[in-house]
Structures are given as C-alpha cells and as structure tokens.
Amino acid sequence: MSYFPDEVIEHVFDYVTTHKDRNALSLVCRWWYRIERLSRQRVFIGNCYAISPERTLARFPALRSLTLKGKPHFADFNLVPQDWGGFVFPWIENFARSRVALEELRLKRMIVSDESLELLSRSFPNFKSLVLVSCEGFTTDGLAAIAANCRQLRELDLQENEIDDHRGQWLSCFPDNCTSLVSLNFACLKGEINLATLERLVARSPNLKVLRLNRAVPLDTLQKILMKAPQLVDLGTGSYLTDPHSETYSKLKIALLKCQSIRSLSGFLDVLPRCLPAFYPVCSNLTSLNLSYAPGIHGSELIKLIRHCVKLQRLWILDCIGDNGLAVVASFCKELQELRVFPSDLNDIGHAAVTEEGLVAISAGCPKLHSLLYFCQQMTNAALITVAKNCPNFIRFRLCILDPKKLDPVTAKPLDEGFGAIVQACKSLRRLSLSGGLTDQVFLYIGMYAEQLEMLSVAFAGESDKGMLYVLNGCKKLRKLEIMDSAFGDVALLTDVGKYETMRSLWMSSCEVTLGACKMVARKMPSLNVEIINEHDQTEFCPDDDEQKVEKMYLYRTMVGPRNDAPEFVWTL
Amino acid sequence: MSSSPSTSSSTRVLTLRASTGERFTIEAAAAAAARFSSLENGKKHDDEDDEEELRKWDAGFIRDLAPVVIHKLITASDYLGGRDELVYLLAGKVADMIKGKTSEQIMFRIANDFTPEEEEIRR
C-alpha cells in the first residue's frame, strides 16, 4: 500500500515536524516507517536512558537536532541526588565519532561537563543551537569553548542551570567575526561580565532577537545595548537600578521607545520600581512577562505595570501579587493563556499570599486560560468547581497548596470534588498536579474522566492502593506518573505491570512499596529498569530484606537494559 | 504533456494529459479556476498560465480541495515532472490532513478518503 509515490511522501513528511506526528507517521505502514526514519532530522528523547546513541543513529541517520531529558521531574524538588545520572558526554562522544551533522542540542536536567561542551564545540562545524535547561556540571570554561569554536552559533540559551562561574572572559571568546547570534540568554550566570565585550557583541549581531542578561549587567549597559539592538523581540534585564533623575534613565526611556518589537520581558533581578515607567510603552506590546525573579516589584508598582499589559498571553509572577493583584490581571489581561504563580517565601507559610479567590478571579476574567501553575495557601472545592466551569479548556492544571494535606478551609473536607470537577470539565487535560487533602475518591474521578491525561503528580494523597489503581486502569494515555508520600503500596504497584511498558516512567517515593514488590516488577518486566535510590542510610539498607519499604523507586521503560553509569547508591534490580 | 483549457461562462475544465496518455479531468479545479479568473481583473488569460494559475490558488481553495482531487493532482504532477511548486502546495495540504492524528486515523483517512475510486476500478 502506498497510494502516493515515495518522492511525494517525502514532500508531505517535510511539512510534518513534531515528534508526535512523526511517530504517528512511522506507524502507518512499513513503507512509511522507512521513509520517515530516513528523513527525520529532529529527534526527541524524553528519557536519555530509554535508548542509546548508537541505536538512535541507526534508526535516524539524518539526525541534526537532538532533545534529551535526564533526571525525572521530581529532581526539581531535590528528591533526586545530584549524581544520579543523565550524562550527556556519551551522546556527544558517539555523535562526534559518527560524524553526525549536528546542528541543535537541547538538554533538560542533564549533567553536562566542560569536557562535553569542548568536544561539542570542536566536533560539529554546522552547530547552531545549544539550549540547556536545569542542567549542571559545567563552568564558564565550557561556555568559552562554545563561544570560541562554534562558528555558526545562533543560539546559546541557558535556563536555570547551576553553572560554576569562573569569572573568566567567556564572552570575549566569541570571535570578532561572529555575527550570527540570534539568541543569547545567560541570566542564570552568577558572575561578572565584561560589559564592553557584551556591548561589542550586541553591536555586531544584527540578527539578535533574544537577549537575557544576568544580574551583573547594570542599567547603564542595558541602555547602551538597547540603542544598538532596537530589533530585540525578547529582553531579560539584568540589574535594574538607577537614579530616576539621571541622564542614564532618560536615555533608557528614549532607547525603549525605539524597541517596538519586544514581545517578551523578564529579569528585574534587582530593581528600583520607580524606574519601571520607562517600560510602559513596551508593556502594551508584550505577550509574555516573567517577573518570577523580581521580588522587588510588588504592590502598586506591580499593578501599574500590569495595567499596561493588555496583550499578555503568558504571565509568570510571584505570589506577593496577592489576590487583589490577580483581580487586576483578570481585568486587564484578557488574552491570558498561561499563568504561573510562584511562592515568594517557602518558609513563611503564614503570610497571606494568594488563595482561591485570586484563581477564581482569573478564571472568570481570562477565558483563554489553558495552562496553570499555582502555588497558594489554600483552596476550596467551591472555587475549583467554579474554575472548572469558567475554564473548561485547561491543558495543564498544576495546583500546589503549600501546606500538604490541607483541607478545604470552609468545609473542612478533602478537595476530591474540586479536582473531580476539573477533570470532568476539562476534556483536553494533559497534565495535572494534585495537592491538599485528598482521598481515593479524587483518583476515581481522574481514572473516569481524565482521558487525555499524560502526566500526573501526586503528593500526600490517597488512602489505599485503590487510588493508584483507578489511575492506572483509567488513564489510557498516561505517560508519566510521579507519587510522593502517599498511601500506595505493593498491590497497586503489582496489579498491572504491563501498563508500565506503555508509559515513560513511574516514580514513587516515601510510599508503602516494599523491596520485594520492586524485585517482582523487575523480574516480570525485563523491558523496564527498576531503580532503587538509596542515598542516606546505606548501612541500614539490607538488599535481602524484601519486607522493607523502599525510600525511592524510579522505573522506566528502556530498550537498552540497565545503565552502566549508575552511582553506588542507585541499584537497578 | 499538453493542457487544453476551454472556457465557458461559468466553468473551465482543465485537462491534464500525462505523457502516459491517461487523462485526468478535474472539475473541482474548474470551479476554482473560474473563481480565480473572475477575481483577477484585467489579467490576460493565457494557455501557458495554467500552471501559474494552479500555483496561485489561495489558501481557501487549497483548504477546500477534496482529498480525491488532491490525490489525482499529486500523482499526476509526479508523472508530469517539474511541477515542483504544485507538488509542494499539495503536499502541504496532505500534511495538514495528517497532522495531529493517530496512526490509525491516518491509515483510515488515506485508505478511505484519498482513493475511493480504486474501489470502483476494482469492481
């Protein structure tokens, strides 16, 4: 069966680029599988241990762009030890040896060494784009190698990485004839920057669209940069402090008036709110605003800024905006699609930040909202039911009530009904994070209604194994399940081990799962790696005592068996 | 390969005759061509501009093309050779039809929507 000639199929496939679509094409028939695999250039690997570099290249010889993810998501909550794994070096080393025409590398939660970056920079003459998110293990020396050797570099995007800043001159390593930069983000770097070098680099990069500065870049330099780069589309300010009566501030205002293309704004790591009005002209064009690193902007200054952002689609903010501030967002930002409210002070649970009121206001005022991450003090069932009615289009709904197991403060009931309303109304829901007091009932609802659910995060929830089983049985599209501190044990884990082969991974920590049950999963399912992570009391951990509870278990499907780079405290069964 | 358009007041039938001698008659293309030529004020009609006109179809027309027609056009184009732009246009349309679908849905669509005539021919 072909229906179309090969060459025509290739043309059709050229237009199909997302990995989900590509995967679908590859399953239509053997013919299409072959054509697809020979033409796929962008490869996405959600778990770096699911496959090897060799087999990846064997299947996709035309690979030019690789996305790799390492540690599981709960690493963001410090649940995964630093040296657990996720090393990128073997991939780079293999690709270099195989002379892959690598152009793009995007890594998330991986360990990246300076050696890897040096090898990367020397091995791929067409290399254009490096995006590192939540990675660690490298220093500015590695960045220097990238700057110096990647002649075609267009993008260097560093997001939330732990980088050892040697305060060297990595920026100076961009050669004078390097004019190809389109995107440069070094906001997460902690050290000093040679400001003159930065200005010269910007001046010779006419295609620069994205520039996110770190704290070491003062307002004075920002002003000079903006004069040279009015074409910027995405700006992250560094330190935003100056005397509002100064000439620098006047010049900044003039520069910003010329920056008509800025659609995304972030930064303000240090800030003098009185100087924010310079950005008001920019605000009216903004589609994305990230103030989650700007605790200095709050109160009336924050409100004044938000009022100008009438085209905003994405807002990342700290909870010091308060319910009142969220009400203002709901009034002015009618195009809002994505909202993230981060906790400003995790230690101070008492202070009033945002509650269910803010969320209800947002849901009423922003009908296009589809993605939410909301850290709050409390939530009620009534509020969640209202939110579900107002916003049935949620794709991502992540609620994090800071006080675990907190019940509905009005009715003193668990939040089962509220989350139940969300999953029932939101037919497109793909990602859900639960919090607050929850019984098995919420999982019954999830299993029944959340048909599109791909990722579920659970903490301090459930009463019995039934809860987890409702989800495993009901959610046919489930790919990632992560559970901490919940009452699920061996029966839940063992009832349907075949299910785990249809998923990317399962994480369970501080649950009721025993070592014996984990061993049984490993025995029955050779296509899974079942890892026991045991970093603390290694002396107390007895490998033969099947009755003991397992502190952390991470299992994932793989085509290449147990990994050979696991540290001492990780035991693959 | 030759193409011989014949004009009438409301329809034009474009006939593409492949070098193999097969003839594909594309009525849907006719309706569009009629709309196109009526919209293009002052544009001199030219036989050689058939390809040009096909290339200039607007997105709406492409969007409304029936899968059967797409299949005919795209396979004809391939035989005709050198009709890259047309192939790209149509390939894009086919791609739009299969994006976001599961493999089962794609299989179903390809088998059922694109070539129902194959069933008829077999009968």
Side-chain angles (χ1 to χ4, degrees):
Chain A
M1 132 167 173
S2 68
Y3 297 116
F4 295 101
D6 271 15
E7 313 81 66
V8 172
I9 291 289
E10 282 170 21
H11 285 311
V12 174
F13 285 11
D14 280 346
Y15 290 99
V16 182
T17 51
T18 72
H19 76 276
K20 271 189 183 167
D21 283 338
R22 279 278 172 161
N23 289 345
L25 295 181
S26 68
L27 292 174
V28 169
C29 62
R30 239 174 283 179
W31 206 294
W32 282 28
Y33 174 89
R34 191 180 154 272
I35 297 174
E36 193 285 311
R37 79 171 186 86
L38 293 176
S39 62
R40 194 185 303 203
Q41 294 184 345
R42 313 180 77 92
V43 176
F44 170 88
I45 295 175
N47 175 3
C48 64
Y49 290 120
I51 193 71
S52 67
E54 293 82 5
R55 289 183 62 169
T56 303
L57 283 181
R59 181 166 170 196
F60 301 115
L63 188 155
R64 292 208 192 156
S65 165
L66 179 68
T67 302
L68 269 179
K69 293 190 179 182
K71 293 193 180 76
H73 171 244
F74 270 173
D76 290 355
F77 302 102
N78 297 321
L79 286 175
V80 182
Q82 215 166 358
D83 354 325
W84 168 85
F87 304 97
V88 75
F89 185 80
W91 291 83
I92 296 178
E93 195 262 334
N94 185 291
F95 283 14
R97 240 187 312 117
S98 312
R99 301 196 188 286
V100 172
L102 193 66
E103 294 183 15
E104 280 182 13
L105 187 61
R106 310 168 111 72
L107 306 176
K108 188 167 186 179
R109 294 195 202 96
M110 303 243 350
I111 296 182
V112 181
S113 60
D114 283 344
E115 195 191 355
S116 314
L117 293 176
E118 277 151 29
L119 184 60
L120 175 70
S121 73
R122 285 184 277 112
S123 309
F124 308 107
N126 285 335
F127 192 74
K128 294 187 171 71
S129 168
L130 181 63
V131 180
L132 302 177
V133 181
S134 301
C135 295
E136 63 197 340
F138 61 106
T139 76
T140 44
D141 294 349
L143 298 180
I146 296 287
N149 302 326
C150 297
R151 296 298 158 123
Q152 313 273 344
L153 195 69
R154 289 198 203 141
E155 180 174 28
L156 179 59
D157 186 355
L158 308 169
Q159 300 176 33
E160 318 234 356
N161 301 290
E162 286 293 321
I163 306 172
D164 206 354
D165 198 324
H166 288 171
R167 287 159 176 79
Q169 297 291 326
W170 70 274
L171 255 188
S172 315
C173 294
F174 282 106
D176 289 338
N177 61 6
C178 168
T179 59
S180 53
L181 272 180
V182 174
S183 171
L184 179 62
N185 172 9
F186 58 92
C188 63
L189 276 179
K190 304 243 173 33
E192 298 304 312
I193 285 286
N194 186 317
L195 301 175
T197 305
L198 175 62
E199 287 174 43
R200 281 198 299 273
L201 180 61
V202 172
R204 67 175 185 275
S205 303
N207 299 319
L208 196 65
K209 296 279 190 297
V210 178
L211 182 63
R212 297 194 184 182
L213 310 168
N214 74 346
R215 199 179 231 123
V217 181
L219 194 146
D220 185 45
T221 306
L222 173 66
Q223 172 264 117
K224 291 185 193 154
I225 285 175
L226 289 176
M227 291 299 287
K228 297 190 176 111
Q231 79 281 1
L232 284 178
V233 170
D234 183 320
L235 174 68
T237 69
S239 181
Y240 195 71
L241 299 166
T242 193
D243 180 349
H245 303 297
S246 66
E247 199 187 328
T248 304
Y249 185 61
S250 307
K251 286 191 195 168
L252 177 69
K253 281 196 278 192
I254 293 169
L256 280 170
L257 279 174
K258 298 213 178 89
C259 295
Q260 290 295 311
S261 305
I262 297 180
R263 298 287 173 271
S264 180
L265 184 63
S266 60
F268 301 101
L269 307 164
D270 291 311
V271 56
L272 185 66
R274 277 196 300 148
C275 292
L276 287 174
F279 273 94
Y280 290 168
V282 170
C283 285
S284 34
N285 291 326
L286 285 182
T287 56
S288 172
L289 178 62
N290 180 356
L291 297 178
S292 59
Y293 286 100
I297 306 181
H298 51 257
S300 59
E301 300 295 343
L302 175 57
I303 301 296
K304 276 191 253 177
L305 193 71
I306 298 268
R307 278 172 189 255
H308 285 88
C309 302
V310 291
K311 293 192 187 154
L312 212 58
Q313 294 172 15
R314 185 196 308 168
L315 176 63
W316 291 19
I317 198 90
L318 290 169
D319 63 0
C320 50
I321 190 175
D323 287 334
N324 292 332
L326 288 178
V328 175
V329 172
S331 306
F332 286 85
C333 307
K334 294 301 187 189
E335 301 297 313
L336 199 66
Q337 297 176 23
E338 177 185 336
L339 174 67
R340 295 197 189 188
V341 181
F342 293 97
S344 41
D345 190 349
L346 282 165
N347 297 319
D348 183 12
I349 291 187
H351 86 280
V354 295
T355 70
E356 73 277 8
E357 285 181 25
L359 185 58
V360 170
I362 291 283
S363 74
C366 306
K368 298 187 182 180
L369 193 66
H370 59 61
S371 293
L372 180 76
L373 172 61
Y374 197 75
F375 283 85
C376 59
Q377 297 296 326
Q378 62 181 46
M379 186 54 55
T380 65
N381 282 309
L384 285 174
I385 290 168
T386 304
V387 168
K389 252 198 288 259
N390 291 338
C391 290
N393 298 319
F394 273 114
I395 299 174
R396 295 169 203 95
F397 190 86
R398 299 157 67 187
L399 188 68
C400 301
I401 303 168
L402 291 166
D403 189 3
K405 301 196 199 183
K406 190 168 167 80
L407 300 171
D408 180 330
V410 173
T411 62
K413 288 213 167 79
L415 294 177
D416 301 328
E417 297 306 310
F419 279 106
I422 294 285
V423 293
Q424 195 172 355
C426 302
K427 309 259 187 271
S428 311
L429 195 68
R430 296 206 300 256
R431 183 168 180 184
L432 178 65
S433 297
L434 305 172
S435 57
L438 296 163
T439 70
D440 285 344
Q441 186 70 10
V442 69
F443 299 104
L444 174 67
Y445 291 140
I446 293 171
M448 252 169 42
Y449 296 113
E451 288 174 15
Q452 303 300 322
L453 196 67
E454 295 178 7
M455 181 170 179
L456 179 65
S457 306
V458 179
F460 300 99
E463 301 158 301
S464 75
D465 288 322
K466 282 200 284 197
M468 185 165 156
L469 285 171
Y470 290 140
V471 172
L472 291 175
N473 291 335
C475 299
K476 301 295 178 212
K477 298 204 175 173
L478 194 66
R479 292 191 297 117
K480 288 182 279 185
L481 179 58
E482 48 184 23
I483 305 171
M484 56 181 268
D485 293 90
S486 298
F488 307 135
D490 294 348
V491 173
L493 182 67
L494 291 173
T495 298
D496 181 10
V497 291
K499 170 83 177 171
Y500 306 132
E501 219 170 33
T502 71
M503 293 166 54
R504 184 187 298 172
S505 64
L506 168 67
W507 168 283
M508 294 181 76
S509 59
S510 304
C511 295
E512 304 293 316
V513 170
T514 67
L515 182 59
C518 296
K519 285 182 183 173
M520 194 170 307
V521 177
R523 231 189 338 266
K524 284 190 179 175
M525 301 292 297
S527 59
L528 301 177
N529 279 352
V530 181
E531 293 187 6
I532 307 295
I533 300 165
N534 204 32
E535 61 204 296
H536 294 124
D537 291 311
Q538 298 215 24
T539 45
E540 284 190 19
F541 183 73
C542 180
D544 297 319
D545 178 9
D546 284 0
E547 303 292 313
Q548 75 191 304
K549 300 263 167 62
V550 162
E551 185 55 35
K552 293 174 185 171
M553 179 207 73
Y554 179 52
L555 65 80
Y556 52 90
R557 68 180 173 195
T558 178
M559 298 182 70
V560 290
R563 56 190 176 107
N564 55 14
D565 61 2
E568 251 186 14
F569 53 82
V570 173
W571 179 24
T572 305
L573 297 173
Chain B
M1 166 326 249
S2 69
S3 62
S4 50
S6 55
T7 0
S8 69
S9 55
S10 57
T11 57
R12 242 187 65 196
V13 175
L14 284 167
T15 308
L16 299 167
R17 197 189 313 146
S19 52
T20 58
E22 292 169 284
R23 183 175 299 200
F24 300 91
T25 306
I26 303 159
E27 289 82 4
R35 184 184 74 188
F36 178 84
S37 52
S38 70
L39 282 175
E40 288 287 316
N41 303 331
K43 202 134 200 166
K44 190 181 163 220
H45 167 65
D46 191 319
D47 287 340
E48 265 102 347
D49 277 335
D50 292 336
E51 275 102 310
E52 180 71 23
E53 288 179 343
L54 288 174
R55 194 167 53 79
K56 283 185 201 168
W57 281 338
D58 64 29
F61 173 72
I62 289 283
R63 191 181 59 228
D64 296 335
L65 267 184
V68 178
V69 177
I70 293 177
H71 184 252
K72 282 185 177 169
L73 278 173
I74 215 168
T75 40
S77 309
D78 195 64
Y79 289 136
L80 298 171
R83 307 274 303 242
D84 287 349
E85 283 153 12
L86 178 60
V87 175
Y88 294 149
L89 255 181
L90 296 167
K93 169 66 175 160
V94 174
D96 284 342
M97 287 174 165
I98 59 186
K99 279 182 197 173
K101 305 263 192 300
T102 65
S103 48
E104 289 92 354
Q105 289 166 331
I106 296 171
M107 277 190 262
F108 186 83
R109 199 107 208 250
I110 300 282
N112 285 282
D113 291 355
F114 277 87
T115 53
E117 271 74 9
E118 310 240 330
E119 284 290 303
E120 291 179 31
I121 290 166
R122 266 183 245 131
R123 285 192 218 119

